[in-house]
Amino acid sequence: MACMNEDGQWIVLMGLLTALALFFLALIINQSALVGQTTAEGVLEFPKNDIRDLRLEIFDYYDSYEGGLTPLEQQHYVEDIVRISLERKNAVVYFWDGPQQDVSGRMLRPITIHYNNGVTEYDETVYY
């Protein structure tokens, strides 16, 4: 027993440590792929273009204030925006404005937009 060679134990121990390191590295790489996929799905499901279209229509509506629409025409305009959003996009839309405020020397009106399609809920206040 006095002549037993112990060099083989170091090789086995280094092999075990290398295997554990590769295992943890594989776990980290696997988790990063899942996180990236979830983030990409979230970005793809966000209705960015629907909200842009809605904002454009609402800004056109407030531009029509200066165009001389009657109150009845303005009411129909708002109802059309809400109904079209509900019918075509399955989204509940509300918007309203507040009194004009002085923002950096310009008189702007705060417009609050609410958008909810059941998956994404979006609220925004824009000074226009």
Side-chain angles (χ1 to χ4, degrees), residues 25 30 37 39 43 97 100 126:
L25 187 61
N30 187 20
Q37 180 183 1
T39 304
V43 169
D97 61 332
Q100 287 189 339
V126 180

Side-chain angles (χ1 to χ4, degrees), residues 17-120:
L17 289 177
T18 304
L20 287 174
L22 287 175
F23 176 74
F24 285 115
L25 187 61
L27 275 178
I28 291 171
I29 290 172
N30 187 20
Q31 291 298 318
S32 68
L34 289 176
V35 169
Q37 180 183 1
T38 305
T39 304
E41 288 175 355
V43 169
L44 289 175
E45 290 177 359
F46 187 75
K48 178 177 66 177
N49 290 332
D50 294 345
I51 292 172
R52 281 184 180 171
D53 293 344
L54 174 66
R55 291 182 72 204
L56 179 67
E57 291 301 320
I58 290 172
F59 293 156
D60 285 346
Y61 166 71
Y62 282 104
D63 286 340
S64 70
Y65 265 46
E66 299 169 0
L69 290 178
T70 65
L72 184 61
E73 289 172 332
Q74 291 175 355
Q75 181 182 358
H76 288 305
Y77 206 118
V78 171
E79 290 173 357
D80 287 346
I81 291 173
V82 171
R83 285 183 183 155
I84 288 173
S85 295
L86 188 60
E87 290 292 323
R88 292 188 180 167
K89 308 292 182 184
N90 292 329
V92 177
V93 170
Y94 294 109
F95 62 96
W96 61 93
D97 61 332
Q100 287 189 339
Q101 299 174 0
D102 184 16
V103 178
S104 300
R106 296 175 53 195
M107 294 303 289
L108 299 175
R109 180 185 310 267
I111 301 171
T112 303
I113 301 170
H114 173 77
Y115 177 91
N116 186 357
N117 66 356
V119 177
T120 302

